[in-house]
Amino acid sequence: MNKPEMIIVGNWKMNLSPGEAETLADEICRWSKAFKPKAGVVLVPPFPYLQQVVQIGKQGGVAVGAQNVAAAKGGAHTGEVSAIMIKDCGAKYVLIGHSERRQYQYENESLLRVKIEYALEAGLSVVYCVGETLEQRKAHRQFEIVGSQLNQALMGIAVKRPRDLLIAYEPVWAIGTGEVATPAQAAEVHKFIRRQLATLFPMFAAQISILYGGSVKPDNASGLFGSENINGALVGGASLKAEEFINIIIAAHVAVS
Ligand code: PGA
């Protein structure tokens, strides 16, 4: 049976000017073309840069994703972007359920479920983000929270191929704080996620990539990638600097070599 693919995803969030986005994408793609890393690389720019980054990505075998998608197919939804539009721009992935959207846009599992359905229907690969807050971690509720985020959004969802779904475990207390989960803390939640996936998608749970996210940097990446169930990273801050992001990809490449 195929192992999960090692994948490094760079979430640029609401950062970078058009010129900065072009330079960053160009540096990463030129490096990727020359180095040919064994880990997949995905850049996730803000919507206005999507097509531009898709074009640049083609040179270096770098895929592109969107940071969000509408919970509707099309029509009168001012300000929204549909899964089909994202796909037509040449993007292959979409982040769904990032903790910043859960927190600031009040997105909950019933909405996220609809987004997941439309994204899969359009042929996008979904990176579904889960993770507990600091209060929940202190109360030892991380498994209960992550379990319910997975079950409520994914139970009964028709996923046709294992590559269509990725899970990103991002403990909220580690995002943008510099406080990374220890490899042991991450590994035990990833193992739990793998078990949950086995009940949700028994046919291919073992092949789904489970990424870790939250203050991943070049100096902590290899420690995380040493665990069997940590199949890459969702990187925020460090994805905005070509050298840091490339060093994280190299850590992933080494882990699978
Ligand atoms: P960070 O963000 O790497 O800056 O902690 C990760 C994320 O929000 O995906």
Side-chain angles (χ1 to χ4, degrees):
M1 197 192 297
N2 293 338
K3 281 179 151 187
E5 192 186 1
M6 191 70 143
I7 301 190
I8 305 299
V9 181
N11 174 13
W12 293 357
K13 307 192 180 182
M14 199 167 67
N15 292 297
L16 305 174
S17 69
E20 288 166 342
E22 186 177 345
T23 306
L24 179 59
D26 204 54
E27 265 186 74
I28 293 163
C29 294
R30 270 193 285 136
W31 171 83
S32 169
K33 188 177 178 187
F35 189 89
K36 298 189 176 53
K38 287 186 193 158
V41 180
V42 183
L43 300 180
V44 186
F47 276 123
Y49 310 152
L50 212 52
Q51 273 183 304
Q52 181 191 21
V53 177
V54 165
Q55 288 311 319
I56 299 170
K58 281 181 185 162
Q59 319 158 20
V62 169
V64 175
Q67 296 178 17
N68 181 34
V69 61
K73 225 172 185 169
H77 295 277
T78 304
E80 292 293 321
V81 178
S82 75
I84 290 166
M85 291 171 182
I86 293 169
K87 177 83 178 169
D88 286 347
C89 283
K92 293 204 165 69
Y93 292 81
V94 61
L95 305 184
I96 294 182
H98 191 281
S99 70
E100 286 151 16
R101 295 203 60 86
R102 291 177 188 264
Q103 187 179 348
Y104 305 129
Q105 267 69 39
Y106 311 106
E107 294 192 350
N108 60 26
E109 277 75 25
S110 54
L111 178 89
L112 298 174
R113 199 182 158 84
V114 177
K115 293 188 175 204
I116 292 169
E117 282 174 331
Y118 283 126
L120 291 173
E121 201 181 303
L124 293 168
S125 290
V126 168
V127 182
Y128 178 56
C129 309
V130 297
E132 79 286 356
T133 63
L134 184 59
E135 291 69 38
Q136 291 162 342
R137 163 71 60 165
K138 280 184 178 160
H140 308 291
R141 294 179 59 210
Q142 61 270 30
F143 300 111
E144 169 205 334
I145 298 298
V146 168
S148 88
Q149 289 170 336
L150 290 170
N151 287 339
Q152 287 185 48
L154 295 175
M155 195 176 283
I157 294 271
V159 178
K160 294 198 190 79
R161 291 168 306 236
R163 297 279 150 95
D164 290 348
L165 178 68
L166 298 86
I167 305 296
Y169 169 57
E170 298 205 299
V172 181
W173 47 272
I175 297 178
T177 57
E179 193 179 336
V180 65
T182 64
Q185 281 174 321
E188 67 170 359
V189 180
H190 281 236
K191 192 172 169 193
F192 168 80
I193 292 172
R194 182 79 65 204
R195 280 208 309 268
Q196 288 288 116
L197 290 173
T199 63
L200 290 164
F201 307 106
M203 300 293 282
F204 50 70
Q207 297 168 64
I208 295 177
S209 298
I210 308 175
L211 316 181
Y212 169 81
S215 297
V216 176
K217 303 278 183 270
D219 61 356
N220 57 34
S222 22
L224 291 160
F225 300 153
S227 290
E228 172 194 352
N229 286 310
I230 303 184
N231 317 116
L234 177 52
V235 186
S239 75
L240 297 172
K241 295 190 187 105
E243 197 185 331
E244 288 196 22
F245 191 60
I246 286 169
N247 281 325
I248 294 170
I249 304 167
I250 292 173
H253 169 88
V254 170
V256 288
S257 293

